[in-house]
């Protein structure tokens, strides 16, 4: 009896299971047959008669949050443009969202910008790993991914025609810094201190084109993680010191340049530092304006360090571009109004103004391909605050390929921020330009673009 | 008692539909209902919402693994993001080096992370509470750096790409991806639901409640803990692989410590130890950082520095306040309400959690572990003695 | 050879700082039987307050004292508000609450002070000492670190071994019911334990911050290494914390110096696994029979 009931219970159970699964399958198939309605939009996404929607993913929080002031400055330029009639009669909506410098979040937020906010283009998004993550996705959908704030060599590739970078590629940084080292510190032993990723690799590629291999005595790397904070950079600095390197070229992010200086002071190691522009802002490294704090803290080493930049620094207050940016941003960016302008905000200003010109050049009948064509054809002529013109063409998708060298020093006009007063920088020598390829490093004789009257009169 | 009354009682005792008693069947029924519901849902939603639903699905998978480990088996893990990284990278390496279908790739991702789970789980069997917590935290912190050390294999900073799988042309890619991810979530939940109703499930709980009593009862304590760890890590690995499909690629920056923290908060808000609660947790993880926190920030006009940190603050509050005030999480609260409502209609007016929650009283005696909040109960304290 | 020497000295300096964190964890574990994952974050908040005091124009030592005092208060307050309600509950709850508090504090610090890095000075020179013609990687500040951490350890040993108060604190931590029966006032002692431990955490933060820099999460990894040290040495033993700290610091230095920086976190993990396989309760903890 018991056996029977067990048996029948099992049979019923099996029948039931079959029934459930069958219902689900049949139901699903029946519904699938109807298929979703994907209405293909005829007009350009993100463009209406009165508006253009642009998007960006930015590290508003997280490890790279120090760059969170760039996008608001771009936003301020668009607010200025909108207040003066917009672009070809259209107002610019700029939606920048936080990706915490985390590629998976970049991916989600980019999906949101494309699928939900229906952006026309992704502009001025920041970060190498973050933007690499979405490069295949955006190019697959033919959404422009322009003016990426990263110096990766990877933005100018025929595989991804909808992408373009804004900063000089790191290899150009490396060549220009390497050229300076070869000319000014010839015969001295050179050491490298680089981040263990594409940033470091690409910079070294450029350095090696200019500096004789025989003079490079030691190469050290570090991993950009908070873990290194604890154990310090003792082993790397000690190795460079042991090798006798008198010049250390660094491709490192700001906190690690600071840490290097501190560690070197502990070891009594005082090489000439040559620092890639990524950490070229003394305020980002935390180099104080005066070296009289309770302990030297290694900052003395930063006094006299050579670095490079593709635009003016905020302490160059006599520069016309710094003046107009300060004026415009004070009006449209509450952060600048409150705390004064930073180097990042100068970048955001220049980038915003470039985007404005690009949209204008693309004309009234705005399409994604039209925008790309306009940048390829006219990009070289966009007025900007850089020391060299843009390099944009149909084959080159880099913004700048030229830079000014600077020296950090306690005697230059200090950089004053709410967090403190920092060392200033002053220009050294002429402006150089070169391509990331094999070509030589040349002196650029042209002057910086003049601030257009249409901008200075309305800012 | 009148004839009518008797008949009425008879009718009441025989509802028109009774959930099957066998766990597998019951879970399949839930799943079938869920399939139909989710099918309609994904049809109605926009492409981006489908994408988000898919994300909810894979976080639910990871949370199910974590809740099994922590809520059911009593081992804490602060490092489940590390196991997600293992799954994600395994999938990406398979995509890179093979031309297989996504199904075997996902299966291997599960197996690899379960294996890594065993490596961590074996020493973990000797650890209790704080020791284990700290060790798993180190896993989350350390594992992603391995990909930096061997960057030619793991693609360095750029990582490896994992193209989004595409289905028939009539179905948009986001919907297709969401279906894959939802299917995985449902399968995982059914299997875990059954596991918890099996001998293993009972030994998981027994080990959590009292290791010594469990071993007296013939349960191999160490083996049970390692199995729980492997199953849990396998779930996390699957979740990581599904995350990789959504993200389009993996790299070391993709699995920061914050993912592990989000998972812990998701588990607490859903209801520690509750498999159904994982959905609440997953919804929180997907929407809080990207939608709710920014909305809240703009509503209250806080400055950008505050709004940038709002999600983190809320996750912290969820963990602290949730643990202090409502350790049962959302699922616990729902049960509480259900029990009160049930009591209102029951003849004796006494809220009876057990009867209102599950249909088969005989089943309850053994299986009620899932329905009561576990973390938060004064269990048997095992103190090391001093001197 | 000089490379090896410098790495070793660097490892010792790091190890002492790690030991300071570990001592804080041990103190709280001994006094309340809980591991406080929020210890680093609490110290971080306090360090920001010290930074503000410093920039009011006060000297280093005033800021130092202010930080320690704030730390004591903060610890006591945390115990009363967050930890007291968890008494008698599963230890899992305390872990999750302290971990959640860590996240919360980092978010709050980010909201108030932003994520910019700030430099914090050291009270003594950080330049290495000259021995003969070579400068070695050991500065007056490192000497200060070593002395401060040794002092902390000795104070803790005296407290727990030599004083009535310490004995009562341990009794309260491990057998609260018995202690209460014996007439020990449990609540204030638990609060005191948290206060002292938070102050120890603040000391560690003040020793770390000159070589690192002040950000909302500057204590994260240090806390994890401190935890490594405490586990290796035994969560119950101040001497163990010191030895564990040195072992951790030196392992990190050698692995970083000879194998590669990316392996450092994994080296710490391996250290924990190996030492737990050999002695699950830590190297210096007395083997304790478990009681049901």
């Amino acid at each position: 009896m018991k056996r029977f009931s067990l048996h029948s219970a099992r049979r019923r159970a099996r029948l039931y299971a079959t029934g459930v699964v069958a219902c689900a399958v049949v139901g699903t198939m029946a519904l699938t047959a109807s298929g979703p309605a994907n209405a293909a939009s005829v007009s350009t996404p993100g463009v209406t008669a009165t508006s253009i929607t642009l998007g960006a993913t930015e590290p508003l929080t997280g490890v790279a949050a120090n760059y969170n002031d760039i996008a608001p400055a771009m936003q301020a330029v668009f607010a200025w443009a909108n207040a003066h009639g917009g672009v070809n009669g259209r107002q610019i909506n700029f939606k920048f969202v936080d990706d915490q410098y985390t590629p998976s979040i970049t991916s989600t937020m980019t999906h949101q910008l494309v699928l939900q906010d229906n952006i026309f283009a992704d502009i001025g998004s920041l970060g190498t790993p973050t933007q690499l993550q979405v490069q295949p996705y955006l190019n697959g959908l033919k959404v422009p991914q322009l003016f990426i704030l990263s110096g990766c060599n990877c933005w100018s590739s025929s595989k991804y025609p909808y992408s373009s970078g804004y900063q000089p590629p790191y290899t150009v940084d490396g060549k220009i810094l390497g050229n300076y080292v070869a000319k000014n510190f010839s015969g001295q032993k050179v050491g490298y201190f680089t981040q263990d990723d594409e940033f470091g690799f690409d910079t070294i590629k450029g350095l090696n084109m200019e500096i004789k291999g025989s003079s490079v005595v030691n190469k050290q790397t570090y991993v950009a993680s908070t873990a290194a904070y604890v154990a310090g950079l003792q082993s790397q600095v000690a190795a460079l010191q042991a090798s006798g390197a008198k010049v250390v070229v660094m491709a490192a992010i700001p906190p690690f340049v600071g840490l290097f200086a501190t560690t070197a002071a502990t070891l009594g190691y005082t090489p000439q530092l040559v620092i890639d522009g990524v950490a070229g802002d003394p305020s980002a490294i935390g180099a104080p304006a005066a070296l009289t704090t309770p302990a030297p803290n290694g900052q003395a080493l930063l006094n006299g360090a050579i670095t490079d930049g593709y635009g003016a620094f905020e302490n160059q207050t006599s520069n016309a571009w710094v003046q107009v940016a300060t004026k415009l941003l004070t009006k449209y960016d509450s952060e600048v109004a409150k705390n004064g302008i930073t180097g990042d905000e100068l970048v955001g200003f220049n980038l915003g103004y470039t985007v404005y010109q690009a949209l204008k050049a693309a004309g009234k009948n705005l399409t994604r391909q039209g925008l790309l064509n306009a940048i390829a054809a006219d990009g070289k002529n966009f007025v900007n605050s850089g020391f060299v013109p843009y390099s944009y063409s149909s084959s080159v998708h880099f913004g700048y390929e030229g830079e000014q060298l600077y020296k950090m020093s306690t005697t230059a006009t200090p950089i004053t921020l709410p967090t403190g007063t920092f060392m200033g920088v002053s220009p050294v020598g002429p402006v150089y330009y070169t391509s990331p390829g094999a070509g030589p490093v040349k002196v650029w004789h042209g002057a910086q673009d003049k601030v257009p009257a249409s901008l200075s009169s309305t800012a | 008692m009148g004839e009518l009354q008797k008949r009425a009682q008879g009718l009441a005792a025989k509802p028109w539909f009774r959930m099957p008693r066998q766990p597998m069947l019951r879970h399949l029924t839930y799943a079938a209902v869920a399939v139909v519901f989710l099918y309609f849902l994904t049809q109605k939603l926009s492409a981006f919402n489908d994408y988000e639903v898919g994300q909810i699905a894979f976080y639910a998978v990871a949370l199910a693994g974590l809740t099994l480990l922590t809520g059911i088996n009593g081992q804490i893990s602060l490092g489940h993001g590390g196991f997600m990284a293992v799954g994600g990278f395994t999938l990406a390496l398979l995509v890179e080096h093979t031309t297989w279908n996504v199904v075997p790739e996902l299966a291997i991702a599960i197996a690899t992370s379960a294996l890594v789970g065993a490596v961590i789980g074996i020493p973990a069997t000797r650890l209790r509470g704080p020791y284990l917590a700290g060790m798993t935290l180190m896993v989350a912190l350390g594992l992603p750096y391995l990909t930096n050390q061997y960057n030619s294999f793991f693609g360095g900073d750029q990582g490896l790409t994992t193209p989004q799988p595409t289905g028939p042309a009539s179905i948009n890619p986001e919907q297709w991806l969401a279906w894959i991810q939802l299917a995985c979530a449902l399968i995982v939940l059914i299997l875990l639901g059954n596991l918890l109703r099996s001998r293993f499930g009972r030994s998981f709980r027994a080990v959590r409640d009292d290791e010594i009593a469990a071993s007296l009862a013939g349960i191999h304590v160490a083996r049970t803990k390692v199995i729980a760890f492997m199953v849990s890590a396998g779930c996390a690995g699957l979740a990581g692989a599904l995350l990789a499909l959504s993200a389009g690629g993996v790299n070391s920056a993709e699995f920061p410590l914050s993912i592990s923290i989000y998972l812990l908060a998701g588990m607490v808000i859903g209801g520690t130890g509750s498999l159904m609660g994982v959905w609440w947790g997953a919804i929180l993880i997907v929407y809080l950082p990207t939608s709710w926190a920014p909305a809240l920030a703009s509503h209250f006009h806080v400055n950008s520095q505050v709004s940038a940190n709002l999600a983190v603050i809320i996750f912290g509050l969820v963990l602290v306040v949730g643990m202090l005030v409502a350790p049962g999480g959302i699922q616990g609260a729902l049960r509480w309400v259900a029990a009160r409502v049930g009591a209102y209609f029951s003849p004796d007016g006494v809220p009876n959690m057990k009867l209102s929650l599950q249909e088969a009283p005989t089943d309850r005696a053994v299986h009620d572990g899932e329905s009561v909040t576990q973390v938060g109960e004064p269990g048997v304290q095992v103190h090391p003695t001093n001197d | 050879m000089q490379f090896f020497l410098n790495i070793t000295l660097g490892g010792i300096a790091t190890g002492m700082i790690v030991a300071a964190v570990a001592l804080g964890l041990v103190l709280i574990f001994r006094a309340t039987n809980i591991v406080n994952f929020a210890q680093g974050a609490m110290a971080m908040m306090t360090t920001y307050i010290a930074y503000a005091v410093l920039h009011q124009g006060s000297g280093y030592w005033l800021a130092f004292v202010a930080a320690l005092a704030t730390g004591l208060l903060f610890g006591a307050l945390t115990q009363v508000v967050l930890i007291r309600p968890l008494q008698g509950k599963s230890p899992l709850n305390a872990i999750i609450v302290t971990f959640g508090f860590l996240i919360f504090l980092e978010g709050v610090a980010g909201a108030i002070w932003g994520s910019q890095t700030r430099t914090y000075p050291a009270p003594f020179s950080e330049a290495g000492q000259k021995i003969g013609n070579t400068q070695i990687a050991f500065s007056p500040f490192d000497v200060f670190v070593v002395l401060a951490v040794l002092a902390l350890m000795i104070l803790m040993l005296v407290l727990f071994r030599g004083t009535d108060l310490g004995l009562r604190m341990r009794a309260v931590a491990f057998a609260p019911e018995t202690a209460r029966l014996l007439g020990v006032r449990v609540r204030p002692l638990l609060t005191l334990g948290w206060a002292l431990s938070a102050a120890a955490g603040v000391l560690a933060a003040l020793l770390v911050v000159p070589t690192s820099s002040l950000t909302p999460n500057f204590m994260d990894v240090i806390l994890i290494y401190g935890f490594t040290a405490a586990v290796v040495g035994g969560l119950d033993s101040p001497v163990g914390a010191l030895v564990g700290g040195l072992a951790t610091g030196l392992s990190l230095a050698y692995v970083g110096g000879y194998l590669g920086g990316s392996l450092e976190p994994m080296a710490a993990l391996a250290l924990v696994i190996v030492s737990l396989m050999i002695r699950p309760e830590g190297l210096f903890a007395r083997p304790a029979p478990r009681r049901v």
Side-chain angles (χ1 to χ4, degrees):
Chain A
M1 186 63 204
K2 198 169 184 195
R3 206 174 201 174
F4 174 70
S5 70
L6 194 69
H7 183 67
S8 81
R10 269 202 199 140
R11 252 181 70 183
R12 253 186 295 149
R14 207 177 298 144
L15 264 175
Y16 182 81
T18 320
V20 165
V21 171
C23 283
V25 169
V26 170
T28 310
M29 281 168 68
L31 289 164
T32 316
S34 64
N38 276 343
S41 60
V42 188
S43 60
T44 305
V47 178
T48 70
T50 55
S51 73
I52 307 166
T53 305
L54 303 173
T57 51
E58 305 286 339
L60 302 181
T61 61
V63 286
N66 54 306
Y67 298 117
N68 65 10
D69 46 354
I70 297 179
M74 289 165 69
Q75 179 83 289
V77 176
F78 299 145
W80 162 82
N82 289 344
H84 295 86
V87 182
N88 298 323
R90 294 187 177 99
Q91 298 278 301
I92 303 171
N93 296 326
F94 179 46
K95 179 155 188 189
F96 61 95
V97 290
D98 188 12
D99 69 359
Q100 300 171 27
Y101 205 70
T102 304
S104 60
I105 301 182
T106 312
S107 179
T108 302
M109 298 321 287
T110 306
H111 276 79
Q112 182 181 338
L113 290 172
V114 171
L115 298 172
Q116 186 163 300
D117 299 309
N118 209 18
I119 55 167
F120 170 65
D122 184 311
I123 51 139
S125 292
L126 188 143
T128 304
T130 49
Q131 287 306 300
L132 276 169
Q133 182 88 319
V134 293
Q135 194 177 23
Y137 174 70
L138 290 172
N139 277 269
L141 293 177
K142 300 189 174 172
V143 179
Q145 182 192 21
L146 304 176
F147 310 115
I148 300 165
L149 286 163
S150 148
C152 184
N153 288 358
C154 39
W155 309 127
S156 191
S157 107
S158 53
K159 194 175 161 196
Y160 295 118
Y162 285 81
S163 303
S164 75
Y166 169 77
Q167 295 177 12
Y170 296 130
T171 306
V172 167
D173 282 1
K175 281 174 76 176
I176 291 175
L177 290 174
N179 181 263
Y180 183 87
V181 170
K183 275 192 191 137
N184 294 277
F185 306 118
S186 67
Q188 296 198 27
K189 289 181 180 171
V190 178
Y192 292 168
F193 175 72
T194 56
Q195 188 164 306
D196 198 7
D197 63 9
E198 271 68 19
F199 169 30
F201 307 151
D202 287 352
T203 311
I204 288 179
K205 214 184 287 168
L207 289 170
N208 286 344
M209 288 184 208
E210 298 294 326
I211 301 174
K212 269 203 312 264
S214 58
S215 60
V216 181
V217 290
N218 197 278
K219 294 178 183 176
Q220 291 294 314
T221 61
Y222 74 93
V223 178
S225 73
T226 42
Y229 275 129
V230 185
L233 296 169
Q234 232 99 19
S235 55
Q236 289 95 329
V237 179
L240 283 166
Q241 183 183 29
S243 76
K246 293 278 178 270
V247 178
V248 174
V249 188
M250 311 171 101
I253 55 174
F256 285 89
V257 172
L259 198 54
F260 185 99
T262 313
T263 314
T266 312
L267 295 173
Y269 179 42
T270 53
Q272 166 70 45
L273 295 186
V274 178
I275 304 169
D276 182 273
V278 165
D281 188 338
S283 71
I285 312 171
L291 298 173
T292 51
T293 39
N297 220 4
Q299 310 300 3
L301 197 57
L302 296 169
N303 191 12
I306 298 295
T307 185
D308 58 344
Y310 52 88
F313 271 84
E314 62 265 41
N315 71 330
Q316 294 169 304
T317 45
S318 58
N319 183 298
W321 281 98
V322 176
Q323 287 170 356
V324 74
T326 310
K327 195 171 149 205
L328 186 149
L329 294 181
T330 306
K331 211 186 280 179
Y332 292 99
D333 184 341
S334 58
E335 188 60 31
V336 177
K338 206 170 94 190
N339 292 323
I341 197 161
T342 65
D344 288 345
E345 281 153 352
L346 282 175
V347 169
F349 170 82
N350 188 44
L351 185 48
Y353 190 60
T354 302
V355 172
Y356 168 74
Q357 293 175 81
L359 291 170
K360 214 168 185 179
K364 183 75 187 157
N365 184 16
L366 191 58
T367 63
R368 284 168 168 170
Q369 190 58 50
L371 178 65
L372 294 185
N373 293 344
I375 294 170
D378 281 349
K380 283 190 168 70
N381 305 320
F382 292 160
V383 179
N384 69 87
S385 67
F387 299 117
V388 295
Y390 284 125
S391 300
Y392 295 119
S393 73
S394 55
S395 58
V396 178
H397 285 203
F398 294 123
Y400 293 114
E401 291 183 325
E403 291 170 314
Q404 168 73 57
L405 291 161
Y406 288 98
K407 181 177 267 179
M408 298 183 188
S409 113
T410 48
T411 53
T413 317
I415 296 169
T416 309
L417 294 176
T419 48
T421 307
F422 301 95
M423 227 176 254
V425 293
S426 46
V428 178
V431 174
Y432 290 99
Y433 74 102
T434 185
S435 75
V441 177
K442 294 183 195 153
V443 174
W444 174 256
H445 293 290
Q448 207 178 5
D449 286 339
K450 286 214 161 39
V451 178
S454 58
L455 178 60
S456 54
S457 63
T458 53
Chain B
M1 199 182 279
E3 187 66 16
L4 256 173
Q5 254 180 310
K6 268 188 187 166
R7 280 181 64 183
Q9 274 192 350
L11 274 177
K14 262 193 192 165
W16 64 275
F17 177 75
R18 184 192 279 274
M19 287 299 282
R21 286 165 92 155
Q22 202 185 318
M24 183 70 181
L25 289 185
R26 200 165 58 234
H27 297 146
L28 276 177
T29 314
Y30 289 143
V33 174
V35 164
V36 174
F37 168 72
L38 290 171
Y39 176 77
F40 277 110
L41 187 74
T42 48
Q43 288 285 39
K44 287 288 158 232
L45 292 176
S46 71
F48 179 64
N49 292 137
D50 279 345
Y51 181 79
E52 288 178 314
V53 167
Q55 289 185 306
I56 293 174
F58 67 69
Y59 280 118
V61 172
L63 285 171
L66 186 60
T67 211
L68 172 101
L69 184 71
T70 305
I72 311 287
N73 191 234
Q75 303 189 75
I76 195 160
S77 170
L78 305 182
H80 256 44
F83 297 117
M84 286 180 74
V86 173
F89 271 100
T90 307
L91 179 98
L93 286 169
L94 289 171
V95 168
E96 180 111 338
H97 299 292
T98 69
T99 52
W100 297 349
N101 179 281
V102 72
V103 176
E105 287 173 351
L106 290 175
I108 294 176
I110 297 172
T112 314
S113 42
L115 205 68
V116 176
V119 173
I120 306 297
I122 289 169
T125 55
R126 309 182 70 162
L127 305 177
R128 268 174 304 281
Y131 288 93
L132 181 60
M135 202 181 110
T136 50
L137 195 58
M138 294 166 74
V139 170
L141 195 86
L143 274 182
Y145 291 132
L146 274 189
T147 63
N148 274 328
Q149 185 70 23
Y150 305 102
N151 53 19
S152 57
F153 186 58
F154 292 111
D157 236 28
Q158 305 194 15
L160 304 164
T161 50
T162 50
Q164 194 168 320
T166 47
S170 64
I171 299 169
N172 83 46
E174 276 71 33
Q175 198 170 352
W176 182 253
L177 181 64
W179 284 355
I180 293 176
Q181 291 164 328
L182 285 166
C184 289
L186 289 178
I187 292 169
V188 163
L189 286 176
I190 291 172
L191 292 180
L192 287 189
N194 285 320
L195 184 75
L196 294 184
R197 294 271 178 288
S198 71
R199 193 169 56 83
F200 275 119
R202 288 191 290 277
S203 26
F204 284 167
R205 292 190 192 94
V207 166
R208 172 198 64 201
D209 292 339
D210 188 340
E211 285 188 15
I212 291 167
S215 71
L216 281 177
I219 294 171
H220 193 306
V221 173
R223 195 196 295 152
T224 308
K225 286 173 110 174
V226 173
I227 289 172
F229 225 105
M230 287 177 72
V231 172
S232 182
C235 289
L238 174 61
L242 293 174
L243 181 151
L245 290 181
S246 268
V250 287
N251 56 45
S252 60
E254 200 170 327
F255 300 95
L257 193 57
S258 56
I259 287 200
S260 303
I261 296 163
Y262 291 179
L263 288 177
L264 203 67
M267 179 185 76
V268 169
I269 196 102
T272 312
S274 157
L275 275 188
M276 290 309 282
V278 299
W279 293 103
W280 303 116
I283 289 171
L284 180 85
I285 294 174
V286 171
Y287 285 108
L288 179 62
T290 56
S291 309
W292 296 342
L296 207 64
S298 69
H299 183 262
F300 288 102
H301 303 291
V302 294
N303 70 35
S304 69
Q305 210 160 283
V306 176
S307 82
N309 285 284
L310 202 56
V312 178
I313 294 175
I314 295 174
F315 271 118
L317 275 180
V318 162
L319 283 170
V320 174
V321 178
M323 246 21 261
L324 289 175
V325 179
I330 294 179
Q331 204 61 20
L334 288 180
R335 278 206 197 90
W336 188 86
V337 171
R340 302 294 125 148
V341 173
Y344 186 77
F345 292 110
S346 81
D348 51 0
V350 180
N352 186 332
M353 285 287 277
K354 292 188 175 177
L355 283 175
S356 65
L357 285 171
Q358 269 182 342
E359 58 299 318
T362 47
D363 227 21
R364 291 292 307 170
V366 206
H367 299 318
D368 68 344
E370 196 192 327
S371 65
V372 226
T373 311
Q374 291 310 330
V375 176
E377 275 191 329
V380 177
Q381 300 276 353
V382 184
H383 298 306
T385 52
N386 240 6
D387 305 304
Chain C
M1 183 57 205
Q2 203 199 346
F3 179 65
F4 176 79
L5 181 73
N6 276 337
I7 285 194
T8 308
L9 290 170
I12 290 172
T14 309
M16 289 311 271
I17 293 172
V18 169
V21 177
L23 283 170
L25 291 173
V26 166
L27 183 58
I28 218 159
F29 190 76
R30 275 199 127 177
T32 67
N33 207 5
I34 282 175
V35 167
N36 179 14
F37 283 97
Q39 181 185 279
M42 288 163 68
M44 173 273 296
M45 291 296 271
T46 318
T47 310
Y48 269 104
I49 290 167
Y51 180 86
V53 173
L54 202 67
H55 281 252
Q56 287 297 309
S58 315
Y60 179 90
W61 295 106
L62 189 67
F64 188 84
V65 172
L68 288 181
T70 324
L72 279 170
L73 233 134
F74 196 14
L77 208 67
T78 307
Q79 197 275 336
V80 172
V81 177
L82 296 182
I83 306 302
R84 194 171 279 176
L86 293 172
Q87 254 176 344
K89 300 236 173 95
S90 154
L92 276 188
N93 293 30
I95 293 169
I96 294 178
V97 166
T98 57
F99 193 64
F101 195 44
L102 152 79
I103 312 306
F104 174 75
L105 289 178
E106 289 191 357
V108 169
I112 302 175
W113 294 292
S115 43
Q116 309 92 314
T117 51
R118 289 168 166 81
T119 47
Y120 196 98
F124 302 102
S125 162
E126 289 183 89
Q129 292 305 95
K130 273 218 156 75
I131 292 184
N133 278 332
T134 51
Q135 185 164 0
I136 57 157
F138 217 70
S139 65
F141 178 65
D142 290 327
V143 175
F144 172 65
V145 169
V146 171
L147 292 178
V149 175
L150 280 177
L152 177 65
M153 187 195 68
I154 290 164
L155 275 177
M156 276 174 62
L157 280 177
V158 169
L159 174 70
F160 283 121
R161 293 252 169 94
T163 67
D164 190 38
L165 178 72
L167 194 65
R168 275 187 285 161
M169 283 171 80
R170 282 165 76 191
V172 165
F174 289 102
E177 296 308 319
T178 320
R180 192 172 282 129
L181 283 174
L182 291 172
V184 178
R185 291 184 59 213
V186 171
R187 283 181 156 198
L189 283 178
L190 289 177
T191 311
L192 181 68
W194 268 76
L196 290 176
S197 151
V202 172
L203 177 69
L206 291 173
L207 297 179
V208 171
V209 73
T211 37
S212 171
S213 54
L214 185 54
T215 62
N217 56 3
F218 86 100
M219 287 296 285
D220 276 6
V221 181
I222 302 163
L223 181 87
I224 289 172
Y225 290 153
F227 181 84
T228 308
V231 168
V232 170
L235 272 175
D236 195 23
S237 159
V239 179
L242 188 78
V243 175
L246 284 174
T248 309
L250 287 171
S251 318
L252 292 176
Y254 292 137
V255 168
Y258 291 103
L259 298 177
S262 301
L263 291 178
E264 281 171 11
M266 291 312 275
L269 181 64
L271 188 66
V272 166
I273 291 180
V274 169
S275 75
L276 286 174
M277 293 305 260
I278 301 166
R279 292 207 46 173
E281 302 289 345
L283 298 176
F284 285 80
R286 268 157 292 183
R290 286 206 290 142
R291 202 168 53 189
V292 186

